[in-house]
Amino acid sequence: MALDLRLLSSFLAVVEEGHFGRAAARLFLSPPAVTQHIRRLESQVGARLLDRSGSPVVPTAAGVRFAGHARALLDAANAALDDLADVAQETDGGRPLRVGIMGHGSAELTPAAINAYRRARPEVRVEIRQLDFTEHVTALVEDRVDVAFVRPSPKDERLVADVLTTEQRIVVVHERSPLADARTSGIEVADLTELPLFRVPGHTPHSFTDYLYFGDRAQRRSSEYAVTPQEVLTGVVTGRSAGSGLRSFARYYAWPGAVFIPVLDAPWESSYLAVRAGDDNPEVRIFRALAVALAKDMGPGINAL
């Protein structure tokens, strides 16, 4: 029996996210596509792999056992691709375009830009790489990605960045937080004094911590550390910490028990497409031009979604 690696990726995403919608957003697929992948996989292996009766979705006993095999298969496939990368560059005339994405990137503009590039340059392989909160500078300067959807703007002369979206700031808290009642009316930065925002590692760029903590006006810190949106939400729904982000965060990470509150007097913040300054890779220039053009075409409406 030959297993489609896409089915394994969808299965592991649902296992790790505990939710079909969040898994779909992470993979830049539609929820029905992920559901179909799981059904095909369960049909192939002849066992029910996920218990869909509650929230979060959890693996069955067979699913827990199969998850280990799925990770091993994907790891082996990725290792094989890495091992052959140099040979592939010699034989197919070029390297893949490596796209880094922090969190959900620039909301709906992220998959739109990637799909536009794939249509324009079908002969170029695109690799998607998830970035954590510490990597919006290092992933580019260390040549691990070629373009990166990040926030806020990288403060590094080795990089240049284009504004793609501009959105209202929000905080995310547990539904039993004293601030939860303000989900529709909103709050002000002064109300964040006692909010236990999650911590980030010490090597996180200052520009990101300044963004995260509203210029250090939100001064209280949780004991919880996080470097991905999933870790932020885990701290929130377990009542151990709170998070901050852009308004679109609520559309992509609507976890049960999490409440998203607009911060009315905080300056709106932007998401960016960052690249290395002076990069002469024509594929980078094409991708950048497409993303910027789409941002102009989609206009302010994307920020009001």
Side-chain angles (χ1 to χ4, degrees):
M1 176 178 63
L3 289 174
D4 187 333
L5 296 182
R6 294 174 302 170
L7 308 188
L8 301 183
S9 295
S10 290
F11 168 65
L12 288 177
V14 176
V15 169
E16 291 166 5
E17 298 291 344
H19 190 277
F20 278 83
R22 291 195 296 273
R26 170 172 151 182
L27 298 169
F28 298 103
L29 297 172
S30 67
V34 172
T35 299
Q36 184 61 29
H37 284 179
I38 300 304
R39 287 174 177 165
R40 285 173 54 194
L41 183 60
E42 289 179 327
S43 176
Q44 285 188 347
V45 302
R48 190 165 64 93
L49 301 174
L50 296 171
D51 182 353
R52 303 161 173 81
S53 62
S55 180
V57 176
V58 297
T60 62
V64 170
R65 187 169 181 176
F66 186 74
H69 296 298
R71 289 191 180 94
L73 287 170
L74 287 175
D75 287 346
N78 289 331
L81 290 174
D82 290 341
D83 186 52
L84 293 173
D86 292 339
V87 175
Q89 289 178 29
E90 295 172 1
T91 57
D92 69 13
R95 58 189 266 180
L97 184 74
R98 301 162 299 169
V99 180
I101 304 172
M102 177 188 286
H104 64 292
S106 295
E108 288 79 4
L109 189 59
T110 304
I114 293 170
N115 290 333
Y117 176 80
R118 281 174 166 156
R119 288 192 297 269
R121 303 288 291 161
E123 68 276 17
V124 179
R125 183 162 54 92
V126 176
E127 291 183 357
I128 307 297
R129 303 192 178 184
Q130 291 294 325
L131 306 180
D132 67 37
F133 299 153
T134 71
E135 296 181 295
H136 77 303
V137 170
T138 57
L140 281 162
V141 300
E142 294 175 2
D143 194 26
R144 289 185 277 116
V145 300
D146 300 303
V147 300
F149 291 90
V150 299
R151 72 181 72 86
S153 179
K155 305 300 183 186
D156 192 300
E157 63 184 11
R158 294 169 292 181
L159 307 178
V160 293
D162 300 296
V163 174
L164 296 184
T165 66
T166 302
E167 304 180 53
Q168 186 179 42
R169 294 298 307 280
I170 58 95
V171 292
V172 53
V173 301
H174 190 277
E175 61 186 357
R176 290 194 296 273
S177 166
L179 296 180
D181 290 340
R183 69 183 76 193
T184 55
S185 60
I187 58 175
E188 297 185 348
V189 174
D191 299 318
L192 304 179
T193 305
E194 296 302 315
L195 193 65
L197 291 174
F198 67 91
R199 294 178 182 271
V200 289
H203 62 279
T204 304
H206 178 73
S207 58
F208 187 83
T209 58
D210 189 61
Y211 154 82
L212 175 65
Y213 302 127
F214 298 87
D216 218 30
R217 289 192 286 169
Q219 297 175 356
R220 186 178 170 194
R221 303 288 183 269
S222 166
S223 60
E224 296 293 310
Y225 280 82
V227 294
T228 68
Q230 292 76 20
E231 291 175 347
V232 173
L233 269 296
T234 298
V236 169
V237 299
T238 55
R240 298 196 299 266
S241 63
S244 74
L246 302 179
R247 182 178 178 181
S248 56
F249 191 93
R251 298 198 299 276
Y252 282 80
Y253 301 104
W255 285 29
V259 174
F260 301 87
I261 306 168
V263 184
L264 303 177
D265 62 338
W268 284 35
E269 292 279 0
S270 299
S271 68
Y272 297 81
L273 181 74
V275 303
R276 284 180 289 277
D279 192 334
D280 60 0
N281 182 346
E283 302 306 327
V284 170
R285 294 199 298 269
I286 292 169
F287 190 96
R288 183 181 180 188
L290 286 170
V292 171
L294 279 170
K296 292 178 180 177
D297 288 345
M298 299 174 81
I302 190 172
N303 304 320
L305 291 172

